[in-house]
Amino acid sequence: MTTGSAHFEFGLNSFGDIATDGGRIQTDAEALRLLIEEAQLAESVGLDVFSVGEHYKEDQVDSATPVLLAAAAQATSAIGLGTSVTVLSTQDPVRLYQEFATVDGISGGRTQMVLGRASAIESFPLFGYDIAEYEQIFEEKLDLFLRLMREDRVTWSGAYRPPLDDVRLHPRMPDGGIPAWIGIGGSPDSVIRAARHGLPLMMAIIGGRPERFAGHAELYLRALSSFGHAELPIAQHSLGLIADTDEEARSVHWEHWRPVVTQLSEERGFYPPTAERYAEETDTGALFVGSPETVAAKIAAVARANHLSRFDLKYDLRHLPREVREKSIRLFGERVAPRVRELLDADPGEWRLTGRRPAQIVKGGKAVHA
């Protein structure tokens, strides 16, 4: 079940949020260049994966994720490069395959993806898709994308793109494709989908007690077995910020988190932020905000509860100062990650470590991509 805490992975996630620099809001071009610098920093402090999301809103510059990852590939040499997430529903799977095959080749095999249906739906009207077909679009495109990754030649037809007749795409991905996770926000149907397709699970936990997802993790592990798949990694994505003290981290994060969540509450109709709810989220909820020791203890606890082999921190936030972002990244890699490994070695609990590249399984003694 475990192979040692050295195999527990730590990822850094960005949604391309624009930072401030000396009190000045960065331009879009400056924000893009900052992301490449932060990928380099993440590698230098020993983190395992740097991922960029896909959004189409003001103050976020991650709409062309493969381009950003290709630039990061040239600026780094070892760190994994991924997505958080790729909105597969509004992408063309053929073009997506070609883009990520290109990034994987440029990076020397360091690319991976998290595939999702989208919690933010701005891309649906932008690219001419009907949100009423949300589920059907994703299922069809996932089927095609996985076939393109797993098969040498593909003949296919569906409702949302022209048919393919004995197509072999170029450039080629490695045999079996690149690591691809299914991102979920809490739907049991999505958990079952990941298991059915033999894909690792990325749980986006952005509110409430993270431990409530333990049931999803256990459902996933049972479903993998029922579908005849080997055990695969489970990961968690959550928001946070790390500073020297709990007080500093919470004060700075609250200042920038509050306006973002206020806007989201107005757009989506959920609770407006209050100091009391914020304290609850940082104490026992899904915000990983505090000193290195506080954040490490919280990650270790949720790793045990949710059967994790990887934890990803969404570190950026609209107009957060770039020096605050830098410090948080440094503390995450240099202080939090080693401390989590110490805590898990001392008390492993139910956490799971595969020691394999995400989305790999073992068949006949040979590791292959799931």
Side-chain angles (χ1 to χ4, degrees), residues 249-279:
R250 293 184 181 192
S251 174
V252 172
H253 192 259
W254 165 253
E255 177 186 350
H256 295 85
W257 182 83
R258 182 179 182 180
V260 170
V261 178
T262 297
Q263 180 179 334
L264 288 174
S265 69
E266 294 168 353
E267 294 173 352
R268 304 187 188 182
F270 56 75
Y271 75 89
T274 66
E276 293 75 20
R277 289 296 295 266
Y278 181 77

Side-chain angles (χ1 to χ4, degrees), residues 288-299:
F288 288 73
V289 178
S291 67
E293 184 63 29
T294 294
V295 173
K298 195 170 184 179
I299 293 173

